[in-house]
Amino acid sequence: MEALRQDDPRHFGPYTVLARFRETASAVHYLGRGADGDDIAVVTAARPALAAVPAFRRRFQSEARTAERLAGGWVQPPLAAPADGLWTATAYVPALTLAEAIDLAGPLPERAVRILGAGLAETLSRVHATGAVLQGLAPGTVLLAEDGPRLTAFGPLGAAAAAEANASGQLSVRLGYLTPEQVDGKDVGPASDLFVLGLLLAYAATGTTPLADGPAAEAAERIAHASAELDSVPDELRDLIAGCLAKDPADRPSAGSVAAELALEGAAGLAKGGWLPERLAASVADQAARVRALRAPEDEADPAEAAGPPATEPADSASAPASGPAAPEDVRPASEPADEIPTGPQDARPESGILATPVGTQDAGTPDTGTPDTGRREGGLPVPASAPADGDIGDSSTTRFLGTVTPAPRTDRATTQLAVPRELAAGPQPQSPQPVRPAAPPTAPLPPSAPASQPHPYTYPAAAPQSAPAPLPLPAQPPAPAPSTAAAASATSRRALLTVVAAGAAGLVVGGGAVAALGSGDDASADDGKPAPKPRRTLPGQAPEPSWIYTHPAAEPAPLTSGVWEDKLLVLTGATGATGIDLRTGRKIWQRADAAGAQAVLAAGKDLCFLASPTEFLWLSPKDGQVKHRVRFVDQFTGVPNMKVAPLTGSSGSVVWFTGSHTVLVKAPKPKKGQKPGRDTQVVKAYFFAYDIVLRKELWRVAVPAGRAPGTPAYRLTAVRAADLVVRQDAATLTPADVAAGKGRALFRCFDRKTGKLLWVRQFGALAPAGAALGDEEGQLYGAVGDDLQAFEMATAKPVWTLNGTASSVFGTPVQAGKLLHTTNRNQEVGAVDRATGKLLWRRSTEVPLGGNAPALTLSGGGGTLLAADASQVTAFAAADGRRLWKFQDIGAQDPKGATVSAPYRVLAAGRTAVVQRGGVFYAFPVE
């Protein structure tokens, strides 16, 4: 930070310039104060000498638009950016660059490296969701703030170690870090960002950069062929960094898997409570104090002078983080020619000053037009093509680099996109800045930029703390209209949505001017009473935005269970009552305290909602939650006083099945003469019930063996057929005698649906009491046996087919879908087999780190989407062929003082909506 120079501008739009903050190869960063006199902003202004080059102007504005669309998470949203100017403004965040931090305090501790890497990987995965490349990572483009890292460069221009224009007006950009594919003159892709991330993490962990240190020619040779020396890297990080530094891009991990391995709870969750070493934290605090003390210079220039960058170029100084923002989207027509920006390593250029190497097929979402190399220097490095005399290569919806072509999409390679819906802010929202160059409408609508009134340098989406959530509306076509006034509320938590797209597998179009919007649209009133707007149409492979988000009041415990009534109402039950949520809008309709403790939610015909609690059955009006009927077990089920009921076994139509038990006193027989009287004993009697919830009538009950103390056996429904049903007792309620009798194998019971008569008790192969099992209407039972999945005839217990698993795969409960059986296992794989033959049709990984239970499967109401939920995320697959569609991660409270979300995910299917629950937060996603 230094005082302003004589030729520095004194104003940028509404911002009064206070001081020079940092400088980069392409821009100067100033500290400015807003018109209200309180907020401090960082204004990034293009260097005047470069601003005269048309290719630079287009590139600068393109990267600024990318920063706007990636706003949220670890990316600062823009506060202002003139449509025809070469400057942007973002809120000031006290922070050091990674390079400054290493110079000041040396290598970071392992936990800090994990948080840094997870935050960067989360941002990379959002860019990679479109099949694009960021090329914005460098020690000077990454900031270390009090609550986590920040990324400030969004393309090769912002991350450039040097940028210059030659006499003909051609722009040359030199990068500090190269990748093996760049050195070899090959195309780069998302995996190239992972290589640079590996270099950056090694630098953060050791203070030196493997392969890239030293003279440029030697560094390029090491990058292309030598193995990285990682002995100084902490053991826990070495394998991950080595994977990122693999020579073959196909061997590198995805950004999403890196983020999950470094911080499964998310970078923000791991950073909770502070993450910077004491010396760095003190330096950040000192910087903040000095910035707050800044005052505008007395010789302030006239505001009219400062509508753009300074008239003369300031002297260069040390490299610092670039805020020049990369473009996954560009609003220029696709038919125009593209800009060429030769790039190269920081020191690897000849005396002429230009060494061009291919930077990427797509940079942060900007598709490439595939212009071939015009020539190559010795050693295989390409040289720049000639440019017109004025340096104007022509506008384009893309920015090309020499020697690059568009590669074919890679199938089955999941990447991550962070969808960032805007949080509600108190009071009216100001006009959003317009897009930098509003031209012809793109293929997909572009969201407006973040409101200028954001109090924090970046925004996390916050589900409204009151009963009504904020529906997420369609983004407006550019130019963006002013946002509507949001409902007045203060957010109690800040959250982010992590959705994942398999771009290549889903056929994402990345050429021909295709555009993918990465932000959310304007806010809508949370209590307008209208249906939530239909989510915008997305490109193939792009994850859907949630139709709405509902957050249960923080003062209440998270709901115990949830259910859907007639695909219209989401009913949440908990210790304090039941809540009805409109499935169209996500608005709370009613709340009833007298329905507390319910453990199941079902539809009781067209007019009532049925809730089962441990002591009674309730029938509520779906309109207002009023209790219409109440049946207490003590009154309805005669002969079973003080009945203790297990959770419902299952249901079919209007009939529910459940188990209950009570304790009876059995008096000792009268002793014979001369003998001591015996003791009275207490005996548990258990029953299996069928109950019609529409007629409110018990259909039958049958005595069954009691379970482990307190005595109620919990049955789980395995199959429902026309004439009978098959159940299995929960392993946790088996008595020691039951366990011994079963000899390690599960016992299944079959009951007549009409009378409750026990038809048979049977075991199937080596299926264990806790093994997953499912039966179908055709009389087959599918169960997890060891590492395999086996099918049996229920009538005879004979095996039909076996699907072999791998070591420790352990299959979970499958899901039937017509002729298919969808499978899940502990290797975090989801698949589909033919129910009749067991032939494997497809199998895909959720890309969750191994460990834990098999993902729980849910088939959408339309049958087109299979959702796999576990403790880490929800992954959506095309049910027919297994194409990985998207992933979702609620990475929890972003505020360092907020609570960390650790609850597993649950999915409810309701027509063409999938409701995803994690803890007290619910998200509605459109599905096929």
Short mmCIF file of all heavy atoms in Angstrom, two decimals, residues 326-374:
data_model
loop_
_atom_site.label_atom_id
_atom_site.label_comp_id
_atom_site.label_asym_id
_atom_site.label_seq_id
_atom_site.Cartn_x
_atom_site.Cartn_y
_atom_site.Cartn_z
N ALA A 326 -12.05 -14.28 -15.61
CA ALA A 326 -11.99 -15.13 -16.77
C ALA A 326 -13.37 -15.34 -17.23
O ALA A 326 -14.28 -15.20 -16.50
CB ALA A 326 -11.41 -16.46 -16.41
N ALA A 327 -13.65 -15.65 -18.33
CA ALA A 327 -15.02 -15.63 -18.76
C ALA A 327 -15.56 -16.94 -19.14
O ALA A 327 -15.28 -17.48 -20.16
CB ALA A 327 -15.13 -14.67 -19.93
N PRO A 328 -16.40 -17.51 -18.30
CA PRO A 328 -17.08 -18.66 -18.80
C PRO A 328 -18.12 -18.24 -19.80
O PRO A 328 -18.70 -19.04 -20.48
CB PRO A 328 -17.71 -19.29 -17.58
CG PRO A 328 -17.71 -18.28 -16.54
CD PRO A 328 -16.75 -17.22 -16.95
N GLU A 329 -18.41 -16.96 -19.85
CA GLU A 329 -19.44 -16.49 -20.74
C GLU A 329 -18.98 -15.20 -21.37
O GLU A 329 -18.28 -14.41 -20.80
CB GLU A 329 -20.74 -16.23 -20.00
CG GLU A 329 -21.19 -17.40 -19.22
CD GLU A 329 -22.26 -17.01 -18.25
OE1 GLU A 329 -22.87 -15.95 -18.42
OE2 GLU A 329 -22.48 -17.77 -17.33
N ASP A 330 -19.42 -14.95 -22.57
CA ASP A 330 -19.13 -13.72 -23.25
C ASP A 330 -20.35 -13.39 -24.08
O ASP A 330 -20.89 -14.24 -24.77
CB ASP A 330 -17.89 -13.87 -24.14
CG ASP A 330 -17.31 -12.53 -24.55
OD1 ASP A 330 -18.12 -11.66 -24.91
OD2 ASP A 330 -16.09 -12.38 -24.52
N VAL A 331 -20.80 -12.16 -24.03
CA VAL A 331 -22.05 -11.83 -24.69
C VAL A 331 -21.86 -11.39 -26.12
O VAL A 331 -22.80 -11.01 -26.78
CB VAL A 331 -22.79 -10.72 -23.91
CG1 VAL A 331 -23.17 -11.22 -22.55
CG2 VAL A 331 -21.96 -9.46 -23.81
N ARG A 332 -20.64 -11.45 -26.65
CA ARG A 332 -20.43 -11.08 -28.05
C ARG A 332 -20.91 -12.20 -28.95
O ARG A 332 -20.90 -13.36 -28.59
CB ARG A 332 -18.95 -10.79 -28.30
CG ARG A 332 -18.48 -9.54 -27.58
CD ARG A 332 -17.10 -9.17 -28.05
NE ARG A 332 -16.12 -10.16 -27.67
CZ ARG A 332 -15.48 -10.13 -26.52
NH1 ARG A 332 -15.70 -9.20 -25.65
NH2 ARG A 332 -14.59 -11.06 -26.23
N PRO A 333 -21.29 -11.86 -30.19
CA PRO A 333 -21.74 -12.90 -31.11
C PRO A 333 -20.64 -13.90 -31.38
O PRO A 333 -19.47 -13.56 -31.48
CB PRO A 333 -22.13 -12.11 -32.38
CG PRO A 333 -22.33 -10.69 -31.90
CD PRO A 333 -21.42 -10.51 -30.74
N ALA A 334 -21.04 -15.15 -31.57
CA ALA A 334 -20.06 -16.21 -31.79
C ALA A 334 -19.46 -16.15 -33.18
O ALA A 334 -18.44 -16.76 -33.44
CB ALA A 334 -20.72 -17.56 -31.57
N SER A 335 -20.09 -15.43 -34.09
CA SER A 335 -19.63 -15.46 -35.47
C SER A 335 -18.40 -14.62 -35.70
O SER A 335 -17.75 -14.72 -36.72
CB SER A 335 -20.76 -14.98 -36.38
OG SER A 335 -21.15 -13.67 -36.01
N GLU A 336 -18.08 -13.72 -34.77
CA GLU A 336 -16.94 -12.85 -34.98
C GLU A 336 -15.66 -13.57 -34.66
O GLU A 336 -15.61 -14.49 -33.87
CB GLU A 336 -17.08 -11.61 -34.09
CG GLU A 336 -18.35 -10.83 -34.42
CD GLU A 336 -18.46 -9.60 -33.57
OE1 GLU A 336 -17.42 -9.15 -33.05
OE2 GLU A 336 -19.55 -9.07 -33.43
N PRO A 337 -14.53 -13.11 -35.25
CA PRO A 337 -13.24 -13.76 -34.97
C PRO A 337 -12.82 -13.55 -33.55
O PRO A 337 -13.30 -12.67 -32.86
CB PRO A 337 -12.28 -13.08 -35.96
CG PRO A 337 -12.93 -11.77 -36.29
CD PRO A 337 -14.40 -12.01 -36.23
N ALA A 338 -11.88 -14.38 -33.10
CA ALA A 338 -11.46 -14.37 -31.70
C ALA A 338 -10.16 -13.65 -31.50
O ALA A 338 -9.37 -13.48 -32.40
CB ALA A 338 -11.33 -15.80 -31.21
N ASP A 339 -9.95 -13.20 -30.27
CA ASP A 339 -8.70 -12.58 -29.90
C ASP A 339 -7.63 -13.64 -29.69
O ASP A 339 -7.91 -14.72 -29.22
CB ASP A 339 -8.86 -11.79 -28.59
CG ASP A 339 -9.92 -10.73 -28.72
OD1 ASP A 339 -10.13 -10.26 -29.84
OD2 ASP A 339 -10.54 -10.39 -27.69
N GLU A 340 -6.39 -13.29 -29.99
CA GLU A 340 -5.28 -14.18 -29.75
C GLU A 340 -4.37 -13.56 -28.71
O GLU A 340 -3.93 -12.43 -28.85
CB GLU A 340 -4.50 -14.44 -31.04
CG GLU A 340 -5.33 -15.19 -32.09
CD GLU A 340 -4.55 -15.47 -33.34
OE1 GLU A 340 -3.37 -15.09 -33.39
OE2 GLU A 340 -5.10 -16.07 -34.28
N ILE A 341 -4.13 -14.29 -27.64
CA ILE A 341 -3.27 -13.80 -26.58
C ILE A 341 -2.17 -14.81 -26.36
O ILE A 341 -2.37 -15.78 -25.64
CB ILE A 341 -4.04 -13.55 -25.29
CG1 ILE A 341 -5.21 -12.59 -25.55
CG2 ILE A 341 -3.13 -12.97 -24.22
CD1 ILE A 341 -6.02 -12.30 -24.33
N PRO A 342 -1.01 -14.64 -26.99
CA PRO A 342 0.07 -15.57 -26.72
C PRO A 342 0.47 -15.51 -25.27
O PRO A 342 0.49 -14.44 -24.67
CB PRO A 342 1.20 -15.08 -27.64
CG PRO A 342 0.53 -14.19 -28.65
CD PRO A 342 -0.65 -13.60 -27.94
N THR A 343 0.77 -16.65 -24.69
CA THR A 343 1.16 -16.69 -23.29
C THR A 343 2.39 -17.56 -23.11
O THR A 343 2.68 -18.42 -23.93
CB THR A 343 0.03 -17.25 -22.43
OG1 THR A 343 -0.21 -18.57 -22.82
CG2 THR A 343 -1.23 -16.42 -22.56
N GLY A 344 3.07 -17.39 -22.01
CA GLY A 344 4.24 -18.19 -21.75
C GLY A 344 4.63 -18.13 -20.31
O GLY A 344 4.06 -17.37 -19.53
N PRO A 345 5.65 -18.88 -19.88
CA PRO A 345 6.08 -18.84 -18.49
C PRO A 345 6.75 -17.52 -18.16
O PRO A 345 7.16 -16.78 -19.05
CB PRO A 345 7.05 -20.01 -18.39
CG PRO A 345 7.54 -20.20 -19.79
CD PRO A 345 6.42 -19.82 -20.69
N GLN A 346 6.84 -17.23 -16.89
CA GLN A 346 7.29 -15.92 -16.46
C GLN A 346 8.65 -15.54 -17.02
O GLN A 346 8.88 -14.44 -17.45
CB GLN A 346 7.34 -15.88 -14.92
CG GLN A 346 7.76 -14.52 -14.39
CD GLN A 346 7.59 -14.46 -12.92
OE1 GLN A 346 7.10 -15.38 -12.31
NE2 GLN A 346 7.99 -13.36 -12.33
N ASP A 347 9.61 -16.47 -17.01
CA ASP A 347 10.95 -16.14 -17.44
C ASP A 347 11.35 -16.86 -18.73
O ASP A 347 12.47 -16.75 -19.17
CB ASP A 347 11.95 -16.50 -16.35
CG ASP A 347 11.70 -15.69 -15.10
OD1 ASP A 347 11.54 -14.46 -15.22
OD2 ASP A 347 11.64 -16.30 -14.03
N ALA A 348 10.44 -17.61 -19.30
CA ALA A 348 10.79 -18.41 -20.46
C ALA A 348 10.44 -17.71 -21.75
O ALA A 348 9.56 -18.10 -22.48
CB ALA A 348 10.10 -19.76 -20.39
N ARG A 349 11.08 -16.62 -22.04
CA ARG A 349 10.82 -15.96 -23.31
C ARG A 349 12.13 -15.54 -23.94
O ARG A 349 13.09 -15.21 -23.26
CB ARG A 349 9.90 -14.74 -23.12
CG ARG A 349 10.44 -13.69 -22.20
CD ARG A 349 9.54 -12.47 -22.21
NE ARG A 349 10.06 -11.42 -21.35
CZ ARG A 349 9.71 -10.16 -21.45
NH1 ARG A 349 8.87 -9.79 -22.38
NH2 ARG A 349 10.20 -9.26 -20.65
N PRO A 350 12.23 -15.50 -25.28
CA PRO A 350 13.45 -15.13 -25.96
C PRO A 350 13.68 -13.63 -25.89
O PRO A 350 12.89 -12.89 -25.31
CB PRO A 350 13.18 -15.60 -27.40
CG PRO A 350 11.71 -15.55 -27.54
CD PRO A 350 11.16 -15.90 -26.19
N GLU A 351 14.75 -13.20 -26.52
CA GLU A 351 15.10 -11.78 -26.45
C GLU A 351 14.01 -10.89 -27.02
O GLU A 351 13.86 -9.75 -26.64
CB GLU A 351 16.42 -11.54 -27.22
CG GLU A 351 17.63 -12.19 -26.56
CD GLU A 351 17.84 -11.65 -25.15
OE1 GLU A 351 17.65 -10.45 -24.94
OE2 GLU A 351 18.21 -12.44 -24.27
N SER A 352 13.24 -11.42 -27.97
CA SER A 352 12.18 -10.62 -28.56
C SER A 352 11.10 -10.26 -27.57
O SER A 352 10.30 -9.37 -27.80
CB SER A 352 11.54 -11.37 -29.73
OG SER A 352 10.90 -12.53 -29.26
N GLY A 353 11.04 -10.99 -26.47
CA GLY A 353 10.06 -10.67 -25.44
C GLY A 353 8.77 -11.40 -25.57
O GLY A 353 7.87 -11.20 -24.79
N ILE A 354 8.63 -12.29 -26.55
CA ILE A 354 7.38 -13.02 -26.73
C ILE A 354 7.68 -14.50 -26.87
O ILE A 354 8.46 -14.90 -27.71
CB ILE A 354 6.61 -12.53 -27.98
CG1 ILE A 354 6.24 -11.06 -27.85
CG2 ILE A 354 5.37 -13.38 -28.21
CD1 ILE A 354 5.55 -10.51 -29.06
N LEU A 355 7.09 -15.28 -26.04
CA LEU A 355 7.10 -16.73 -26.21
C LEU A 355 5.68 -17.21 -25.99
O LEU A 355 5.15 -17.10 -24.90
CB LEU A 355 8.03 -17.41 -25.21
CG LEU A 355 7.98 -18.95 -25.24
CD1 LEU A 355 8.42 -19.45 -26.60
CD2 LEU A 355 8.86 -19.52 -24.15
N ALA A 356 5.04 -17.68 -27.04
CA ALA A 356 3.63 -18.04 -26.94
C ALA A 356 3.48 -19.52 -26.73
O ALA A 356 4.03 -20.32 -27.47
CB ALA A 356 2.89 -17.63 -28.21
N THR A 357 2.75 -19.90 -25.69
CA THR A 357 2.39 -21.30 -25.49
C THR A 357 0.91 -21.37 -25.33
O THR A 357 0.27 -20.44 -24.85
CB THR A 357 3.07 -21.86 -24.23
OG1 THR A 357 2.59 -21.15 -23.10
CG2 THR A 357 4.57 -21.76 -24.31
N PRO A 358 0.29 -22.49 -25.73
CA PRO A 358 -1.17 -22.58 -25.62
C PRO A 358 -1.61 -22.52 -24.18
O PRO A 358 -1.11 -23.24 -23.34
CB PRO A 358 -1.50 -23.94 -26.26
CG PRO A 358 -0.23 -24.70 -26.18
CD PRO A 358 0.89 -23.71 -26.26
N VAL A 359 -2.57 -21.66 -23.90
CA VAL A 359 -3.05 -21.49 -22.54
C VAL A 359 -4.23 -22.38 -22.26
O VAL A 359 -4.38 -22.90 -21.18
CB VAL A 359 -3.42 -20.01 -22.30
CG1 VAL A 359 -4.08 -19.84 -20.96
CG2 VAL A 359 -2.16 -19.16 -22.38
N GLY A 360 -5.10 -22.63 -23.17
CA GLY A 360 -6.23 -23.50 -22.88
C GLY A 360 -7.25 -23.50 -23.96
O GLY A 360 -7.41 -22.55 -24.70
N THR A 361 -7.94 -24.58 -24.07
CA THR A 361 -9.01 -24.66 -25.03
C THR A 361 -10.15 -23.76 -24.65
O THR A 361 -10.83 -23.21 -25.48
CB THR A 361 -9.51 -26.09 -25.12
OG1 THR A 361 -9.97 -26.48 -23.83
CG2 THR A 361 -8.43 -27.03 -25.56
N GLN A 362 -10.38 -23.63 -23.37
CA GLN A 362 -11.43 -22.76 -22.87
C GLN A 362 -10.92 -22.18 -21.58
O GLN A 362 -10.36 -22.86 -20.76
CB GLN A 362 -12.72 -23.55 -22.59
CG GLN A 362 -13.21 -24.32 -23.78
CD GLN A 362 -14.10 -25.42 -23.34
OE1 GLN A 362 -14.81 -25.28 -22.37
NE2 GLN A 362 -14.08 -26.52 -24.03
N ASP A 363 -11.13 -20.90 -21.41
CA ASP A 363 -10.68 -20.29 -20.18
C ASP A 363 -11.88 -19.84 -19.39
O ASP A 363 -12.60 -18.96 -19.79
CB ASP A 363 -9.74 -19.12 -20.47
CG ASP A 363 -10.36 -18.10 -21.38
OD1 ASP A 363 -10.66 -18.44 -22.53
OD2 ASP A 363 -10.58 -16.96 -20.92
N ALA A 364 -12.08 -20.48 -18.26
CA ALA A 364 -13.18 -20.15 -17.37
C ALA A 364 -14.49 -20.04 -18.10
O ALA A 364 -15.28 -19.17 -17.89
CB ALA A 364 -12.88 -18.88 -16.62
N GLY A 365 -14.75 -20.95 -18.95
CA GLY A 365 -16.06 -21.00 -19.58
C GLY A 365 -16.09 -20.42 -20.95
O GLY A 365 -17.10 -20.43 -21.61
N THR A 366 -15.01 -19.84 -21.45
CA THR A 366 -15.02 -19.26 -22.78
C THR A 366 -14.65 -20.32 -23.79
O THR A 366 -13.53 -20.78 -23.84
CB THR A 366 -14.01 -18.10 -22.86
OG1 THR A 366 -14.29 -17.22 -21.80
CG2 THR A 366 -14.10 -17.39 -24.17
N PRO A 367 -15.56 -20.75 -24.64
CA PRO A 367 -15.25 -21.80 -25.59
C PRO A 367 -14.26 -21.33 -26.63
O PRO A 367 -14.21 -20.17 -26.99
CB PRO A 367 -16.60 -22.16 -26.21
CG PRO A 367 -17.44 -20.98 -25.94
CD PRO A 367 -16.93 -20.31 -24.71
N ASP A 368 -13.49 -22.25 -27.15
CA ASP A 368 -12.45 -21.93 -28.10
C ASP A 368 -12.91 -22.22 -29.50
O ASP A 368 -13.67 -23.12 -29.77
CB ASP A 368 -11.20 -22.77 -27.77
CG ASP A 368 -10.04 -22.47 -28.69
OD1 ASP A 368 -9.89 -21.29 -29.02
OD2 ASP A 368 -9.32 -23.42 -29.04
N THR A 369 -12.43 -21.44 -30.44
CA THR A 369 -12.79 -21.66 -31.83
C THR A 369 -11.80 -22.52 -32.56
O THR A 369 -11.97 -22.86 -33.71
CB THR A 369 -12.90 -20.31 -32.55
OG1 THR A 369 -11.67 -19.62 -32.40
CG2 THR A 369 -14.03 -19.48 -31.97
N GLY A 370 -10.72 -22.83 -31.90
CA GLY A 370 -9.84 -23.83 -32.45
C GLY A 370 -8.92 -23.36 -33.54
O GLY A 370 -8.66 -24.04 -34.52
N THR A 371 -8.36 -22.19 -33.49
CA THR A 371 -7.41 -21.73 -34.49
C THR A 371 -6.11 -22.51 -34.38
O THR A 371 -5.54 -22.59 -33.32
CB THR A 371 -7.13 -20.23 -34.32
OG1 THR A 371 -8.35 -19.53 -34.45
CG2 THR A 371 -6.15 -19.72 -35.34
N PRO A 372 -5.59 -23.05 -35.47
CA PRO A 372 -4.36 -23.85 -35.38
C PRO A 372 -3.13 -22.99 -35.21
O PRO A 372 -3.15 -21.80 -35.46
CB PRO A 372 -4.35 -24.60 -36.72
CG PRO A 372 -5.09 -23.71 -37.65
CD PRO A 372 -6.15 -23.04 -36.83
N ASP A 373 -2.02 -23.62 -34.81
CA ASP A 373 -0.75 -22.92 -34.71
C ASP A 373 -0.31 -22.45 -36.09
O ASP A 373 -0.49 -23.10 -37.09
CB ASP A 373 0.34 -23.84 -34.15
CG ASP A 373 0.05 -24.24 -32.73
OD1 ASP A 373 -0.80 -23.58 -32.12
OD2 ASP A 373 0.68 -25.20 -32.25
N THR A 374 0.31 -21.30 -36.12
CA THR A 374 0.87 -20.81 -37.35
C THR A 374 2.33 -21.13 -37.48
O THR A 374 2.93 -20.95 -38.52
CB THR A 374 0.67 -19.28 -37.42
OG1 THR A 374 1.30 -18.71 -36.28
CG2 THR A 374 -0.79 -18.92 -37.41
#
